[in-house]
């Protein structure tokens, strides 16, 4: 089921060996969107790599920016101000809702239900409008910077955000009613793609796929980064390790994301302040790395460091490991993509089902090929 | 568990093959080890220390050696630990982690594809991102990226 | 929805000569000089000679130039069927353009899953060497007349990934492109504007 297939939502290939209609073995084939992001990052400024992070995972751009920025700040020994951290968390949670809405739209369209596609895209557009009001873009924001964020929220943003978020909470009720009471949905999703928790852990599966099997692992709770240790929310789990469970987990995650956003908005309303760290090295403020003779003048006097960040992306556990050798470009940037591993575990949760079950099961994995291939 | 306790228990078991346990803010520590003890070390981490989840396997090309790093997560202790081993550039081979954590499959294929590190015991070590038959390992420092050559542009002639 | 509108072929004449597409094996498709038709256009195959005959008796040789070809051109450009294909970030904007807010289907644009049913290939996203030959195969599977839009900076010239080792610096190195849409990613309105530009271009070319 090749790179051009309505099921794939991106460029990846699934080789399926079937006997009749039953799947015997699968082999995913990736790499059709491998853009060498890790390699070209070695030639870029830290703030220039941010542009690549949006494009790495394009449905969850701000989450990947957050991931990279936390690792970069650890490698460069820079602390962002607290208001910047709250804005980052707010952006990450809104992006989580947007990503799950995109998943919801595409997943239901794969099952044949077209209304959720239109609803999901419509509500996602509301969130993207919010993003546009403070980052300037709908999809590739390039908003976070080492040391903080690029600009503060505009006036009146928190009220608009609250309105959108309240509207979304009502919509989630409607979505559940639309899908869970639909016979098509239930027939096609219940009991499919079962991946139990011990196997999931052994195969490195993370995110909603793992939590649908009953595990309570959520990095935001287990190893809080940014300001998550100050926020109250619950971990979304389900105990049917199937496609319906993953749907329920993602719906609940959206509700929890709304809860977190409201807390962030309340804090942001009460605490104005700077959004960029004040003590930044001079070269970090430069938009372009200089070429020519000036390049060696700026080299090699800055502290080295290692940055490691693991975050709970909408797709799973994503990580960044940055090696900073003292120059203005990182020496090595390595990303851990949750989708690559979740797809690879298809060897465990796909065989035994029918070919017609592949779209719901692979749809429940929430594939975003950009981060898988980097 | 603290870094010093980890260091103590590992050196008690493996002696001088553990080249060091460094502090790493936010992690339990960074364990540098000799590649010869890879498999037993992995088993120790998984069975005795409870690191059931292999998060990440990656490789870096420091020109005089290649480094392979692993990030492990423990659900019970809720902490990450990083393992790191250095391989000589002419024989960059290390035992595969796939028999112990099956999730290493895709990660190790990526490390082979991009950095050229071989993993012994991997069931199917071939390229994952670059097409089959690609001659280079792109993330090596010796592989320079450059402006693309001038390719001809196809024009419709009507 | 209009449903299975067949792709109207050119009225007469061999397919466009020259370029990579012109090297299609004609003996496989039909005899030289016979219009390139697909199975779905059987009705058109019967219609065209009949219409030609009827009208040529009225207007002689001008029928094909003045009447049949413009009608098919109008029908074709107002019902461009792109391939349901998304490569990267621009594909998300491509999908958003089919939502309720920027309804692309009001322009007659309906994504189809099979390249045999499409006449438009929107390349939205970074093209890598690994996918290059599949892209060319998809484009060659599409029947004439067909057009290609390079959407986004990556398809136009490599985009932010131009210097990467695995990225094709622009899809026009592989297939002939009619319209380039700039943006990273272009907003859905830009994509729709690009499609309208293509419609204008098709009208000018008179295909």
């Amino acid at each position: 089921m090749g790179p051009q297939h309505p099921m794939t939502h991106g460029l990846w290939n699934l080789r399926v060996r079937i006997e009749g209609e039953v799947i015997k073995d699968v082999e995913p084939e990736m790499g059709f969107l491998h853009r060498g992001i890790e390699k070209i990052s070695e030639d870029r400024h830290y703030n220039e790599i941010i542009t690549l992070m949006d494009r790495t995972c394009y449905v969850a751009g701000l989450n990947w920016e957050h991931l990279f920025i936390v690792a970069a700040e650890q490698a460069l020994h820079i602390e962002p101000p607290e208001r910047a951290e709250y804005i980052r968390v707010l952006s990450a949670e809104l992006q989580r809702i947007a990503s799950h809405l995109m998943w919801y739209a595409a997943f239901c369209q794969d099952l044949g239900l077209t209304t959720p596609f239109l609803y999901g895209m419509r509500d996602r557009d509301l969130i993207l409008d919010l993003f546009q009001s403070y980052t300037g873009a709908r999809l590739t924001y390039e908003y976070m910077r080492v040391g903080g964020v690029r600009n503060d929220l505009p006036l009146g943003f928190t009220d608009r955000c609250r309105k959108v978020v309240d509207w979304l909470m009502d919509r989630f009720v409607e979505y559940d009613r639309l899908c869970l009471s639909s016979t098509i949905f239930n027939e096609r999703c219940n009991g499919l793609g079962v991946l139990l928790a011990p196997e999931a852990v052994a195969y490195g599966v993370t995110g909603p796929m793992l939590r649908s099997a009953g595990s309570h692992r959520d990095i935001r709770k287990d190893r809080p980064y940014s300001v998550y240790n100050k926020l109250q929310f619950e971990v979304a789990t389900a105990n049917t390790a199937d496609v319906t469970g993953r749907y329920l987990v993602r719906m609940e995650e959206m509700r929890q994301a709304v809860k977190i956003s409201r807390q962030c908005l309340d804090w942001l309303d009460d605490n104005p302040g700077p959004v960029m760290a004040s003590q930044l090295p001079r070269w970090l403020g430069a938009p372009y790395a200089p070429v020519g003779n000036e390049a060696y003048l700026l080299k090699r006097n800055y502290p080295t460091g290692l940055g490691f960040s693991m975050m709970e992306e909408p797709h799973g556990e994503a990580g960044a490991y940055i090696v900073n050798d003292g120059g203005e470009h990182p020496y090595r940037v390595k990303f851990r993509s949750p989708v690559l591993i979740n797809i690879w575990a298809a060897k465990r949760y796909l065989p035994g089902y029918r070919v017609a079950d592949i779209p719901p099961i692979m749809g429940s994995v929430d594939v975003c090929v950009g981060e898988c291939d980097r | 568990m603290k870094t010093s306790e980890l260091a103590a228990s590992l050196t008690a078991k493996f002696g001088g093959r553990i080249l060091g346990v460094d502090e790493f803010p936010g992690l339990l520590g960074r364990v540098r080890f000799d590649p010869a003890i890879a498999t037993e070390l992995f088993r120790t981490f998984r069975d005795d220390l409870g690191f059931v989840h292999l998060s990440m396997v990656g490789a870096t090309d420091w020109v005089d050696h290649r480094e392979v790093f692993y990030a492990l997560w423990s659900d019970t202790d809720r902490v990450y630990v990083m393992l790191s081993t250095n391989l000589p550039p002419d024989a960059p081979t290390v035992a595969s982690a796939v028999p112990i954590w099956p999730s290493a499959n895709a990660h190790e294929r990526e490390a082979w594809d991009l950095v050229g590190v071989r993993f012994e015991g991997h069931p199917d070590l071939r390229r994952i991102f670059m097409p089959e038959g690609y001659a280079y390992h792109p993330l090596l420092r010796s592989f320079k990226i450059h402006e693309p050559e001038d390719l001809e542009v196809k024009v419709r002639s009507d | 929805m209009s449903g299975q509108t067949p792709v109207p072929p050119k009225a007469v004449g061999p397919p466009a000569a020259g370029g990579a597409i012109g090297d299609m094996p004609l003996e496989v498709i039909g005899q030289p000089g016979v219009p390139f038709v697909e199975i779905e256009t059987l009705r058109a195959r019967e219609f065209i000679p009949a219409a030609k005959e009827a009208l040529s008796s009225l207007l002689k040789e001008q029928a094909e130039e003045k009447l049949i070809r413009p009608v098919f051109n109008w029908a074709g450009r107002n019902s461009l069927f792109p391939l349901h294909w998304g490569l990267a970030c621009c594909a998300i904007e491509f999908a958003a353009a089919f939502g309720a807010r920027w309804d692309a289907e009001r322009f007659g644009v309906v994504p189809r899953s099979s390249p045999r049913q499409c006449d438009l290939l929107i390349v939205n996203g970074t093209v890598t060497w690994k996918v290059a030959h599949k892209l060319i195969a998809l484009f060659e599977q599409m029947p004439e007349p067909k057009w290609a839009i390079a959407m986004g900076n990556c398809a136009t010239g490599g985009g932010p990934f131009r210097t990467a080792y695995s990225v094709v610096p622009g899809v026009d190195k592989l297939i002939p492109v009619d319209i380039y849409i700039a943006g990273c990613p272009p907003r859905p309105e830009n994509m729709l504007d690009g499609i309208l530009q293509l419609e204008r271009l098709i009208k000018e070319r008179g295909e």
Side-chain angles (χ1 to χ4, degrees):
Chain A
M1 302 177 83
Q4 189 271 320
H5 192 282
M7 177 274 290
T8 54
H9 299 299
L11 285 180
W12 62 284
N13 203 352
L14 186 71
R15 294 216 171 94
V16 185
R17 184 179 306 141
I18 51 179
E19 203 176 285
E21 273 272 321
V22 179
I23 304 172
K24 288 285 165 207
D25 193 14
V26 293
E27 194 198 317
E29 186 183 341
M30 336 288 325
F32 292 104
L33 197 57
H34 179 65
R35 295 171 281 193
I37 288 180
E38 297 179 355
K39 179 78 179 182
I40 56 186
S41 301
E42 293 172 5
D43 276 351
R44 297 204 182 185
H45 238 25
Y46 286 90
N47 283 337
E48 289 173 352
I49 303 177
I50 281 294
T51 67
L52 301 177
M53 298 317 297
D54 289 313
R55 293 151 177 90
T56 304
C57 182
Y58 30 87
V59 292
L62 282 168
N63 281 311
W64 277 72
E65 283 189 27
H66 195 193
L67 173 78
F68 173 76
I69 281 296
V70 166
E73 286 176 349
Q74 190 179 14
L76 296 169
H77 313 286
I78 292 174
E79 290 261 342
E82 201 178 3
R83 188 174 166 90
E85 300 257 40
Y86 269 92
I87 295 182
R88 286 179 186 169
V89 166
L90 173 70
S91 314
E93 291 305 317
L94 289 177
Q95 182 73 71
R96 188 184 310 271
I97 303 176
S99 167
H100 283 329
L101 283 172
M102 180 84 210
W103 167 81
Y104 172 77
F107 175 65
C108 293
Q109 195 182 33
D110 281 346
L111 298 179
L113 316 169
T114 329
T115 314
F117 172 75
L118 298 172
Y119 284 173
M121 296 307 254
R122 172 197 66 185
D123 293 327
R124 182 174 165 266
D125 269 335
L126 294 173
I127 300 185
L128 295 185
D129 279 348
L130 282 179
F131 283 146
Q132 191 180 343
S133 69
Y134 71 95
T135 67
R138 283 167 46 92
L139 201 71
T140 51
Y141 318 93
E142 293 148 31
Y143 176 61
M144 300 190 190
R145 297 280 184 272
V146 176
V149 292
R150 182 178 69 207
N151 52 269
D152 205 343
L153 303 173
L155 292 175
F157 175 81
T158 47
D159 297 325
R160 263 181 289 147
C161 195
R162 282 196 189 96
K163 275 194 214 154
V164 169
V165 146
D166 293 339
W167 158 267
L168 284 174
M169 276 300 253
D170 296 329
R171 295 281 74 70
F172 296 152
V173 174
E174 193 182 322
Y175 295 163
D176 272 344
R177 212 169 46 211
L178 200 61
C179 282
L180 293 176
S181 62
S182 151
T183 326
I184 300 176
F185 187 90
N186 286 323
E187 293 286 325
R188 288 200 77 178
C189 293
N190 285 346
L192 246 55
V194 172
L195 184 68
L196 299 171
E199 278 185 347
V201 171
Y203 276 84
V205 169
T206 52
M209 290 199 70
L210 180 65
R211 287 195 287 281
S212 72
S215 166
H216 284 262
R217 186 197 305 169
D218 185 330
I219 307 210
R220 297 173 291 167
K221 273 276 194 236
D222 292 338
R223 181 185 183 255
Y225 49 91
S226 203
V227 289
Y228 279 106
N229 48 359
K230 302 182 190 156
L231 298 168
Q232 320 278 341
F233 63 101
E234 283 125 36
V235 174
T237 58
N239 50 16
T240 63
D242 63 355
V243 174
T244 317
R246 289 162 206 152
Y247 168 87
L248 294 170
V249 166
R250 290 195 176 101
M251 282 296 170
E252 183 59 30
E253 275 186 8
M254 284 205 270
R255 292 193 185 95
Q256 295 301 321
V258 166
K259 193 169 165 185
I260 300 175
S261 316
R262 283 179 178 147
Q263 293 170 48
C264 287
L265 288 168
D266 291 335
W267 189 97
L268 286 168
D269 265 344
D270 296 333
N271 296 288
V275 291
M276 191 62 145
S278 45
Q279 304 292 330
L280 286 178
R282 196 171 57 91
W283 56 264
L284 202 55
Y288 292 100
V291 294
N293 285 333
E294 319 149 334
Y296 85 90
L297 286 176
L298 282 187
K299 254 195 224 264
R300 311 288 162 204
N301 276 325
Y302 305 108
T304 61
L306 298 171
F308 182 89
S309 74
M310 285 285 190
M311 290 202 177
E312 190 67 36
E313 304 301 305
H315 306 282
E317 170 198 1
Y321 173 63
I322 298 183
V323 178
N324 162 34
D325 66 342
E328 66 266 13
H329 303 156
Y331 187 84
R332 170 84 166 104
V333 181
K334 162 88 174 97
F335 298 109
R336 191 244 186 217
S337 157
V339 172
L340 177 64
I341 309 302
N342 289 356
I343 293 185
W344 215 261
K347 289 186 187 281
R348 294 301 303 181
Y349 57 76
L350 265 187
Y353 299 103
R354 301 207 174 86
V355 173
D357 297 330
I358 296 182
I361 302 178
M362 294 320 290
S364 74
V365 176
D366 195 3
V367 176
C368 174
V369 191
E371 63 166 296
C372 176
D373 291 343
R374 273 156 278 139
Chain B
M1 200 195 320
K2 294 194 154 161
T3 316
S4 45
E5 294 169 15
L6 177 72
S9 67
L10 286 178
T11 40
K13 185 156 184 191
F14 294 100
R17 304 294 204 120
I18 299 278
L19 304 172
V21 179
D22 309 324
E23 296 271 346
F24 198 134
L27 272 60
L28 184 59
R30 185 160 171 252
V31 179
R32 288 175 288 117
F33 65 95
D34 185 348
I37 57 162
T39 317
E40 296 112 60
L41 190 70
F42 296 154
R43 247 180 249 287
T44 312
F45 269 96
R46 185 190 65 173
D47 300 328
D48 303 336
L49 298 169
F51 285 91
V52 291
H53 174 61
L54 175 66
S55 220
M56 167 154 83
V57 180
T60 309
D61 179 43
W62 305 93
V63 184
D64 51 351
H65 62 270
R66 292 196 203 164
E67 178 198 351
V68 181
F69 52 87
Y70 304 79
L72 307 173
W73 164 263
S74 161
D75 270 326
T76 47
D77 294 337
R78 306 216 176 149
V79 71
Y80 281 102
V81 71
M82 199 157 200
L83 309 178
S84 164
T85 179
N86 291 335
L87 306 173
D90 46 357
T93 311
V94 71
S96 168
V98 171
I100 297 134
W101 293 287
S103 60
N105 197 323
H107 288 128
E108 292 183 348
R109 276 182 68 181
E110 179 191 341
W112 158 245
D113 187 4
L114 298 180
V115 187
V117 175
R118 290 211 75 94
F119 292 89
E120 269 175 280
H122 191 281
D124 185 20
L125 192 67
R126 57 193 161 90
R127 288 184 175 272
I128 183 172
F129 290 146
M130 302 313 292
E132 293 288 329
Y134 190 69
Y136 306 102
H137 296 288
L139 248 58
L140 294 177
R141 285 271 135 173
S142 50
F143 183 90
K144 304 276 184 223
I145 60 178
H146 50 273
E147 262 294 308
E149 303 105 19
D150 243 341
L151 302 172
E152 54 172 78
V153 175
K154 298 224 183 287
V155 182
R156 265 191 185 220
S157 62
D158 58 351
Chain C
M1 208 186 287
S2 56
Q4 315 284 330
T5 315
V7 175
K10 282 207 253 214
V12 284
I21 308 111
D23 299 329
M24 278 195 289
L26 287 175
E27 60 272 11
V28 173
I29 302 161
Q31 295 119 28
V34 171
F36 179 93
V37 294
E38 286 291 302
I39 295 180
E40 301 99 355
T41 59
L42 273 177
R43 276 178 287 143
R45 189 210 290 269
E46 291 144 17
F47 170 80
I48 294 166
K52 256 194 59 160
E53 256 187 307
L55 290 166
S56 65
S57 62
L58 301 170
L59 300 168
K60 302 292 187 246
E61 290 89 29
Q62 291 189 351
E64 181 246 314
E65 278 303 316
K66 289 274 170 58
L67 200 67
I68 299 183
R69 197 177 238 201
V71 166
F72 279 103
N73 181 281
W74 167 84
R77 74 171 183 265
N78 279 312
S79 71
L80 293 165
F81 284 2
L83 184 62
H84 187 144
W85 197 40
L87 286 92
C89 342
C90 289
I92 305 294
E93 296 290 49
F94 173 76
F98 288 93
R101 190 171 172 184
W102 290 284
D103 180 19
E105 293 185 3
R106 59 192 151 125
F107 298 109
V109 170
V110 176
R112 309 292 302 172
S113 307
S114 162
R116 299 283 188 196
Q117 301 170 0
C118 299
D119 50 3
L120 176 60
L121 185 74
I122 300 189
V123 183
N124 43 19
T126 322
V127 186
T128 59
W129 288 113
K130 197 167 179 181
V131 87
H133 67 276
K134 297 201 194 265
L135 188 153
I136 299 180
L138 280 170
F139 192 67
E140 291 192 344
Q141 280 177 356
M142 285 165 53
E144 285 280 351
K146 59 189 172 190
W147 300 276
I149 290 185
M151 176 180 175
N153 288 353
C154 290
T156 309
F161 306 102
R162 188 181 168 86
T163 52
Y165 46 86
S166 58
V167 166
V168 179
V171 76
D172 54 6
K173 311 282 193 275
L174 304 171
I175 57 173
V177 171
D178 297 291
I179 296 275
Y180 298 85
I181 306 179
C184 194
R187 287 182 64 104
E189 302 109 296
N190 284 357
M191 191 195 104
L192 296 177
D193 180 49
I195 291 183
L196 291 176
Q197 296 263 15
L198 180 65
E199 290 184 14
R200 244 171 270 149
L201 187 72
I202 298 173
K203 183 174 175 181
E204 277 167 28
R205 281 202 201 142
E207 286 170 358

